[in-house]
């Protein structure tokens, strides 16, 4: 499409946008009496109007029914999580029995590593990406330290990071594959962010998963920046496990629950260790209070505690909205609005001397989703602060990168145009 950097053109794209009406379903913070231009749905998604209704429903049931709500609420609490399985399975490309919600992201990745990182003295290495999100790095370090002494391997050798090549911002697939081959039989686990939080790079999960399996490793994915953002086919890709937070693209609220996936091929595997609790016990027999753990033969078998229902309520509102729309439409708009933002950035960059906006996110549409990370050469933190003051909510990452994520559910094309104008003013004064 031949884009134009005019308000009329952006408004025309909004008129043609079949998802435009969903913007009304969200609450935008106000700056100078106007909706902000919100680019940080990759950090915390906006509150939907439905979220409050779902929470209020639980509050009312709690008030009216108290303990009886577990079984007699409209959406009974004891199996509240089952309402997620169908819609979530569509979002991440899984069978409904392969997904669940519980805890928070890093906690779930730790718990999944209990099952899928069982090192021996010969097979103990973990492949991850260089500069993974810090929480993942700390997780790897602590998992390795936890096992190293009893198994007797050198913790310093255990974590193998895939590096970017000199002068490049993104990791090459060929480098991931050759590292997997090089580590070979010593490789116990590959665990990478499916979409890199800093650059927005989307990894070829199918190919990497296959390569990991070829050398006998488990392969898992941190899908924090992927769930609700990109097409996923976790079942077909034969991924062993994955987890994601729900507060980014899935708009479930700050620090909210994590979704997780465990491939059905593992559901009956009793050799996998796991940390158990009564909510993972055989569902029909859960309330018999039996002494021995009999795990549910599905992803539910990894549940531990009864559910934080109030917390799950806004997440349920969100998955219902995603289910009503479907990922294909979101992805279609995502690609158009991201390309439009890219075009606007190039236009403004070309107009202004002395600046250079280097988009470090891959330009190949197969390797990016809705985030553009922009290196603002010639500009400093003052520009970021100007943007924030003028109603553009973005984030700053050292040394000089802003991340912009136009979210297809609630961002408009006119937002992109307006952002360009504010950016220009911020630079030219
Ligand atoms: C890739 C990635 N992993 C892990 C986390 C941490 O998640 P949590 O604090 O929910 O455990 C985040 C974001 O906060 C993230 O972007
Ligand atoms: N949960 C948060 C709480 C406080 C500050 C940031 C976060 C984020 O989620 C950061 C996000 N993971 C990121 O990619 O930057």
């Amino acid at each position: 499409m031949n884009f134009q950097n005019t308000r009329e053109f952006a408004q025309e794209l909004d008129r043609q946008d079949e998802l435009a009406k969903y913007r009304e379903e969200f609450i935008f913070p106000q700056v100078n009496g106007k909706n902000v231009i919100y680019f940080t749905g990759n950090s915390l998604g906006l509150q939907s109007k439905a979220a409050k209704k779902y929470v209020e429903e639980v509050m009312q049931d709690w008030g009216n029914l108290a303990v009886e709500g577990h079984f007699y609420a409209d959406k009974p609490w004891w199996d509240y999580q089952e309402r997620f399985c169908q819609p979530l399975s569509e979002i991440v490309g899984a069978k409904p029995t392969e997904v669940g919600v519980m805890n928070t992201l890093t906690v779930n990745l730790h718990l999944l590593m209990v099952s899928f990182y069982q090192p021996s003295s010969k097979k103990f290495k973990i492949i991850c990406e260089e500069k993974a999100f810090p929480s993942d790095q700390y997780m790897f370090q602590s998992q390795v330290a936890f096992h190293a002494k009893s198994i007797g391997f050198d913790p310093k050798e255990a974590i193998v990071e895939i590096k970017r090549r000199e002068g490049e911002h993104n990791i090459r697939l060929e480098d991931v594959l050759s590292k997997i081959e090089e580590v070979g039989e010593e490789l116990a686990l590959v665990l990478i962010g499916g979409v890199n939080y800093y650059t927005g790079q989307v990894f070829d999960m199918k190919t990497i998963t296959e390569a990991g399996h070829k050398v006998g490793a488990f392969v898992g994915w941190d899908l924090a920046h992927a769930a609700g953002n990109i097409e996923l086919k976790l079942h077909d890709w034969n991924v062993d496990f994955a987890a994601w937070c729900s507060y980014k693209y899935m708009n479930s609220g700050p620090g909210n629950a994590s979704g997780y996936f465990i491939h059905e091929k593992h559901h009956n595997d009793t050799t996998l260790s796991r940390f158990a609790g009564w909510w993972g016990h055989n569902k029909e027999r859960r309330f018999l209070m039996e002494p021995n753990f009999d795990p549910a033969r599905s992803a539910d078998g990894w549940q531990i505690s009864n559910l934080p229902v109030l917390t799950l309520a806004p997440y349920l509102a969100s998955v219902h909205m995603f289910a009503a729309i479907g990922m294909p439409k979101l992805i279609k708009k995502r690609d158009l609005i991201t390309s439009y933002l890219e075009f606007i950035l190039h236009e403004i960059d070309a107009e202004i001397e002395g600046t250079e906006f280097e988009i470090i996110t891959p330009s190949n549409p197969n390797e990016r989703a809705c985030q553009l990370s922009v290196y603002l050469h010639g500009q400093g933190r003052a520009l970021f602060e100007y943007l924030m003051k003028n109603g553009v909510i973005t984030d700053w990452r050292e040394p000089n990168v802003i991340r912009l994520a136009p979210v297809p559910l609630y961002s408009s094309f006119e937002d992109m145009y307006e952002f360009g104008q504010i950016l220009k003013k911020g630079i030219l004064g």
Side-chain angles (χ1 to χ4, degrees):
M1 188 183 289
N2 282 330
F3 290 134
Q4 292 169 27
N5 184 17
T6 64
R7 188 176 299 281
E8 294 68 37
F9 183 83
Q11 286 172 339
E12 182 53 34
L13 286 179
D14 282 327
R15 268 192 291 279
Q16 291 169 16
D17 171 15
E18 58 180 336
L19 301 185
K21 60 175 191 272
Y22 284 98
R23 189 173 165 87
E24 298 303 316
E25 303 290 323
F26 288 89
I27 301 168
F28 285 76
Q30 303 289 302
V31 169
N32 304 331
K34 286 202 308 212
N35 284 354
V36 296
I37 299 171
Y38 197 69
F39 280 123
T40 44
N42 57 349
S43 186
L44 181 72
L46 291 180
Q47 185 185 136
S48 75
K49 293 175 182 166
K52 202 178 255 173
K53 285 198 205 117
Y54 279 61
V55 174
E56 272 167 4
E57 185 187 15
V58 179
M59 292 299 282
Q60 266 171 16
D61 285 340
W62 178 21
N64 293 335
L65 299 168
V67 73
E68 301 257 83
H70 283 301
F71 298 104
Y72 302 113
D74 252 5
K75 299 187 183 80
W77 305 329
W78 84 285
D79 61 359
Y80 196 86
Q81 89 106 8
E82 288 184 13
R83 288 163 187 80
F84 286 83
C85 295
Q86 182 60 40
L88 261 188
S89 72
E90 288 164 27
I91 294 164
V92 301
K95 295 189 173 179
T97 50
E98 292 174 316
V99 293
V101 288
M102 60 178 181
N103 314 309
T104 45
L105 175 55
T106 311
V107 172
N108 279 346
L109 288 173
H110 269 302
L111 291 171
L112 290 163
M113 284 183 77
V114 169
S115 295
F116 296 103
Y117 181 57
Q118 297 181 11
S120 68
S121 58
K122 296 224 161 64
K123 198 171 187 65
F124 61 94
K125 293 192 175 172
I126 301 172
I127 280 190
C128 61
E129 80 270 41
E130 177 187 39
K131 294 197 190 147
F133 191 78
S135 196
D136 292 14
Q137 296 184 47
Y138 309 150
M139 171 180 76
F140 293 136
Q141 291 158 15
S142 60
Q143 284 274 343
V144 162
F146 177 71
H147 290 289
K149 258 190 240 138
S150 55
I151 311 275
F153 61 82
D154 182 355
K156 285 200 278 312
E157 283 184 18
I159 300 170
V160 180
E161 294 187 344
I162 316 269
K163 307 274 182 214
R164 292 164 179 83
R165 294 191 189 184
E166 188 68 31
E168 294 187 8
H169 293 296
N170 294 292
I171 291 175
R172 294 196 191 195
L173 176 63
E174 64 207 83
D175 292 350
V176 181
L177 301 181
S178 62
K179 188 58 86 181
I180 289 173
E181 243 186 87
E182 182 192 315
V183 178
E185 288 189 347
E186 288 183 336
L187 187 61
L189 174 67
V190 178
L191 180 47
I192 298 176
V195 176
N196 182 266
Y197 84 99
Y198 187 86
T199 61
Q201 177 182 15
V202 177
F203 286 92
D204 180 344
M205 292 183 237
K206 177 173 187 276
T207 305
I208 294 171
T209 301
E210 250 170 48
H213 287 161
K214 235 193 210 156
V215 299
F218 285 126
V219 182
W221 293 94
D222 174 345
L223 299 178
H225 287 259
N229 183 21
I230 66 171
E231 183 184 39
L232 295 164
K233 293 187 174 171
L234 299 180
H235 177 85
D236 292 348
W237 296 340
N238 206 12
V239 165
D240 293 294
F241 69 94
W244 54 92
C245 53
S246 56
Y247 46 77
K248 299 181 190 296
Y249 296 102
M250 305 219 59
N251 312 312
S252 74
N256 210 346
S258 158
Y260 68 99
F261 163 90
I262 298 167
H263 199 282
E264 68 177 355
K265 67 187 174 183
H266 299 302
H267 294 176
N268 291 311
D269 183 349
T270 47
T271 66
L272 288 173
S273 40
R274 69 177 97 181
F275 288 162
W278 71 319
W279 232 251
H281 192 71
N282 179 323
K283 191 181 153 193
E284 274 69 46
R285 311 180 62 81
R286 186 179 295 154
F287 294 95
L288 299 181
M289 306 299 175
E290 297 168 322
N292 294 320
F293 182 56
D294 172 21
R297 305 297 154 121
S298 66
D300 282 354
W302 274 259
Q303 294 268 343
I304 298 180
S305 291
N306 86 107
L307 306 163
V309 177
L310 273 172
T311 282
L312 295 184
Y315 190 13
L316 189 62
S318 169
V319 295
H320 283 162
M321 189 186 285
F322 273 77
I325 302 168
M327 286 307 293
K329 283 186 186 162
L330 288 167
I331 288 170
K332 190 168 147 228
K333 177 173 175 189
R334 178 200 76 189
D335 288 344
L336 189 63
I337 199 166
T338 308
S339 302
Y340 190 53
L341 173 62
E342 184 180 33
F343 163 81
I344 297 278
L345 284 164
H346 287 318
E347 287 284 298
I348 305 292
D349 195 10
E351 271 181 48
I352 302 171
E353 262 181 51
T355 56
E356 193 207 334
F357 301 152
E358 183 189 0
I359 300 176
I360 63 175
T361 307
S363 54
N364 176 353
N366 296 327
E367 280 186 74
R368 74 176 190 200
C370 83
Q371 175 179 323
L372 295 181
S373 300
V374 190
Y375 213 138
L376 297 167
H377 299 291
Q379 296 295 323
R381 213 183 147 95
L383 177 59
F384 163 73
E385 275 152 19
Y386 178 89
L387 291 174
M388 295 292 282
K389 242 188 243 140
N390 286 278
V392 177
I393 311 298
T394 172
D395 71 12
W396 171 272
R397 288 285 180 270
E398 294 299 332
N400 201 5
V401 168
I402 57 169
R403 301 186 307 168
L404 305 165
V407 173
L409 259 178
Y410 49 69
S411 298
S412 71
F413 291 89
E414 194 172 0
D415 280 347
M416 302 305 110
Y417 169 77
E418 190 65 30
F419 160 67
Q421 297 306 301
I422 297 172
L423 182 65
K424 195 156 80 177
K425 260 195 223 135
I427 295 171
L428 296 176

